[in-house]
């Protein structure tokens, strides 16, 4: 069974009848005069066995070290962030970072849980299955298995076919304990209770997400095939294939006996590099290519690079073979690769996570849920760039205040990058004196 077949294999094929029965019973239901349709998050259309999603991709991921390492790097880097509140644009203090006791829900999402664990689980679920579901309970947060969650779609214009309606929207979620094949009664969850994170929306089904592993399946299959080839190469004595001709055998039994004798004496790792002795008339010819002739390192390295490209992790950061040679190891190149990873994946992903979790967290008025990267070692080199930016901002604020603008409006305008928030005090010149004012007296008589 190849990789594609393992991914598409149902989680419990022996209970297929029960799954189909639940699909027919739960595919549509009516409530409040409207018809709602279920949509499984592991597939693009109707309900599908959960084995085609999280569990199937996890089996494939564990058998492909480059893909597993890429997903591991993504989760480890993302887990270093922490959440804060940020003043929204147009508020009294735009861009200001602050915290309140409402952040305790994210700092300790469950008993003895941490923000790092929450972000790690969310990234593994979203990266592998395409979707992450965080349910707010009375006692905290709970990250749900995406293979056990179905999305409920509703439509007012087309109640009989809400999935394709122009006004289709998510009206709830169904949580199936143990999956669809468990036979247990699903639990209904309201949209306000669930933070549904799909960082890579499925273009064909925007209500659910798509795993970055989906376009990488063939590359993962190629890496597994290359690894299997390498193992077979060493199992067969680290020698290429051979064809032996002219074995002097009078019948089939004699031929099989001679072949078995040659296999016992010359095949396998234990018999590697032995001298092959043949009787008169027999001839051995090498066929195929050894690992050097087929450029095995370059072949496998190219597959690793394509996997890293789909994971948005540069090869030098992933420490793949093609990223550990030549000029890629220069400090400047590594810094550019790290910056590319931060700008093109890390920051957009953190923005998406904060926007998603903001729906189940109590956010103060005039603020947004945001993130703080100050304690992230991966972006620590950006601190010097940030210091330069702050120095230039401080100089801009000083210039604006010297020109007569109020200090508060100058700070807000610079932070929000919106000079329309500037408010002039009516004072001019460096000394900020009113026009026509005379110099202040010291109160002492003239000499």
């Amino acid at each position: 069974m190849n990789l594609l077949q393992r991914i598409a294999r149902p989680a419990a094929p022996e209970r297929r009848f029960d799954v189909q029965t639940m699909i027919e019973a739960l595919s549509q239901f009516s409530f409040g005069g409207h018809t709602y349709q279920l949509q499984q998050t592991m597939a693009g259309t109707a309900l599908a066995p959960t084995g085609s999603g999280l569990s199937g991709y996890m089996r494939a991921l564990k058998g492909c070290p480059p893909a597993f390492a890429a997903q591991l790097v993504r989760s480890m880097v993302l887990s270093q962030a922490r959440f804060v509140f940020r003043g929204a644009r147009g508020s009294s203090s735009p861009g200001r970072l602050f915290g309140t006791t409402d952040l305790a829900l994210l700092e300790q999402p469950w008993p003895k849980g941490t923000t790092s664990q929450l972000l790690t689980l969310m990234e593994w679920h979203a990266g592998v299955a395409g979707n992450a579901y965080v349910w707010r309970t009375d006692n905290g947060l709970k990250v749900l298995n995406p293979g056990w969650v179905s999305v409920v779609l509703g439509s007012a214009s087309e109640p009989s076919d809400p999935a394709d309606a122009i006004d289709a929207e998510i009206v709830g979620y169904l949580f199936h304990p143990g999956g669809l094949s468990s036979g247990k009664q699903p639990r209904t969850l309201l949209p306000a209770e669930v933070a549904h994170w799909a960082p890579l929306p499925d273009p064909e089904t925007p209500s659910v997400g798509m795993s970055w592993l989906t376009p990488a399946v063939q590359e993962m299959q190629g890496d597994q095939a290359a690894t299997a080839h390498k193992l077979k190469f060493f199992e067969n004595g680290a020698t290429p294939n051979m064809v032996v001709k002219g074995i002097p055998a009078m019948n089939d039994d004699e031929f099989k006996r001679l072949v078995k004798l040659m296999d016992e004496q010359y095949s396998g790792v234990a018999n590697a590099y032995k001298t092959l002795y043949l009787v008169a008339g027999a001839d051995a010819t090498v066929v195929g290519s050894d690992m050097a002739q087929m450029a095995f390192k370059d072949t496998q390295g190219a597959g690793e690079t394509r996997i890293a490209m789909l994971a948005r992790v540069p090869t030098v950061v992933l420490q793949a073979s093609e990223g550990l040679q030549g000029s890629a190891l220069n400090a400047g190149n590594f810094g550019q690769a790290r910056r590319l990873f931060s700008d093109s994946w890390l920051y957009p992903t953190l923005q998406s996570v904060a926007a998603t979790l903001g729906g189940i967290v109590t956010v103060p008025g005039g603020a947004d849920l945001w993130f703080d990267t100050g304690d992230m070692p991966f972006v620590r080199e950006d601190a010097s760039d940030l210091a330069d930016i702050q120095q230039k901002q401080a100089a801009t604020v000083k210039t604006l205040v010297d020109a007569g603008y109020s200090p508060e409006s100058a700070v807000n305008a610079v932070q929000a990058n919106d000079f329309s928030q500037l408010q002039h005090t009516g004072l001019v010149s460096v000394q900020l004196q009113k026009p026509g004012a005379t110099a202040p007296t010291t109160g002492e008589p003239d000499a």
Side-chain angles (χ1 to χ4, degrees):
M1 180 178 294
N2 60 28
L3 180 62
L4 291 171
Q5 293 172 333
R6 288 204 306 273
I7 291 177
R9 184 177 61 184
E14 69 279 4
R15 302 190 64 179
R16 183 77 178 188
F17 178 79
D18 293 339
V19 174
Q20 293 300 115
T21 302
M22 292 186 64
I23 291 174
E24 295 174 359
L26 297 175
S27 60
Q28 288 188 352
F29 67 93
S30 298
F31 178 77
H34 297 284
T35 301
Y36 300 102
Q37 179 172 341
L38 292 182
Q39 189 168 43
Q40 179 69 18
T41 61
M42 297 296 103
T45 56
L47 288 171
T50 57
S52 61
L54 181 63
S55 59
Y57 275 140
M58 278 305 302
R59 288 194 298 267
L61 196 64
K62 292 177 181 178
C64 182
F68 188 92
Q71 180 60 40
L72 184 63
V73 169
R74 287 161 54 113
S75 64
M76 292 179 66
V77 173
L78 191 70
S79 66
Q80 298 173 358
R82 64 186 183 93
F83 293 104
V84 294
F85 292 123
R86 186 184 69 166
R89 184 183 295 271
S91 63
S92 59
S93 55
R96 183 177 69 90
L97 302 181
F98 63 97
T100 67
T101 55
D102 293 323
L103 291 174
L105 182 64
L106 299 177
E107 295 171 352
Q108 188 176 358
W110 52 82
K112 298 183 179 180
T114 62
T115 303
S116 176
Q117 293 174 331
L118 173 64
L119 290 174
T120 298
L121 279 176
M122 292 181 65
E123 169 53 30
W124 273 97
H125 284 178
V128 178
N131 300 270
Y133 300 93
V134 182
W135 174 38
R136 179 167 183 173
T137 68
D138 295 335
N139 300 323
L141 302 179
K142 182 176 179 60
V143 182
L144 305 179
N145 187 327
W148 298 356
V149 179
S150 299
V151 178
V152 184
L153 298 178
S155 170
S157 62
E158 299 184 30
S160 60
D161 189 14
D164 297 328
I166 191 172
D167 61 341
E169 60 179 346
I170 298 176
V171 297
Y173 302 89
L174 284 185
F175 177 73
H176 311 268
L180 284 172
S181 60
S182 65
K184 298 180 181 179
Q185 185 69 21
R187 175 167 181 170
T188 304
L189 304 176
L190 298 178
E193 301 175 320
V194 179
H196 178 190
W197 185 44
L200 180 60
D202 191 333
E204 297 180 344
T205 313
S207 58
V208 296
M210 182 180 69
S211 170
W212 71 268
L213 296 173
T214 300
V217 168
Q218 291 185 336
E219 296 299 332
M220 295 166 63
Q221 191 174 15
D223 184 82
Q224 287 187 337
T227 302
H229 172 84
K230 179 174 62 176
L231 293 176
K232 287 297 182 182
F233 181 79
F234 289 110
E235 288 176 1
N236 288 280
T239 58
N241 299 330
M242 300 185 67
V243 174
V244 179
K245 300 177 295 183
I247 297 179
M250 303 299 296
N251 50 51
D252 290 345
D253 293 338
E254 180 68 12
F255 177 80
K256 292 179 181 179
R257 186 186 67 82
L258 292 175
V259 170
K260 181 178 180 181
L261 181 62
M262 292 183 64
D263 286 340
E264 292 176 351
Q265 294 185 1
Y266 299 107
S267 297
V269 178
N271 298 316
Y273 312 112
K274 280 187 176 181
T275 302
L276 178 64
Y277 297 97
L278 300 175
V279 298
D283 181 30
T285 304
V286 176
V287 298
S289 303
D290 58 18
M291 302 186 78
Q293 292 172 336
M294 67 180 294
F296 180 81
K297 183 177 182 297
D298 296 336
T299 302
Q300 194 170 35
E304 295 175 354
T305 301
R306 291 170 66 89
I307 291 175
M309 174 184 66
L310 292 172
R312 304 302 303 149
V313 181
T315 55
V316 62
V317 176
L318 187 58
Q319 296 185 342
S321 60
E322 291 192 359
L324 297 178
Q325 55 186 347
S327 61
L329 291 179
N330 294 340
N333 291 337
F334 179 82
Q336 290 298 325
R338 180 193 55 78
R339 175 63 61 85
L340 175 64
F341 180 55
S342 299
D343 294 346
S344 64
W345 184 84
L346 178 59
Y347 287 104
T349 301
L350 284 173
Q351 293 175 3
S352 176
V353 172
T356 302
L357 292 177
I360 59 174
V361 176
T362 302
V363 181
D368 300 318
L369 183 64
W370 201 244
F371 57 90
D372 184 11
T373 60
D375 295 332
M376 299 181 66
F378 189 80
V379 296
R380 187 168 295 165
E381 293 183 11
D382 294 340
S384 58
D385 297 336
L386 179 61
D388 294 338
I389 294 175
Q390 290 177 340
Q391 183 178 9
K392 294 178 181 179
Q393 289 178 337
T396 302
V397 170
K398 182 179 184 300
T399 301
L400 293 173
V401 172
D402 290 345
Y405 295 99
S406 65
E408 295 80 7
S409 67
V411 172
N412 292 338
V414 171
Q415 287 183 343
N417 195 21
D418 182 11
F419 276 31
S420 64
Q421 299 187 26
L422 289 173
Q423 297 179 359
H424 204 279
T425 60
L427 303 178
V428 294
S429 80
V430 178
Q431 291 79 17
L432 300 183
Q433 298 295 320
K434 294 182 179 180
T438 58
T441 59
T442 61
E444 298 180 359
D446 295 337

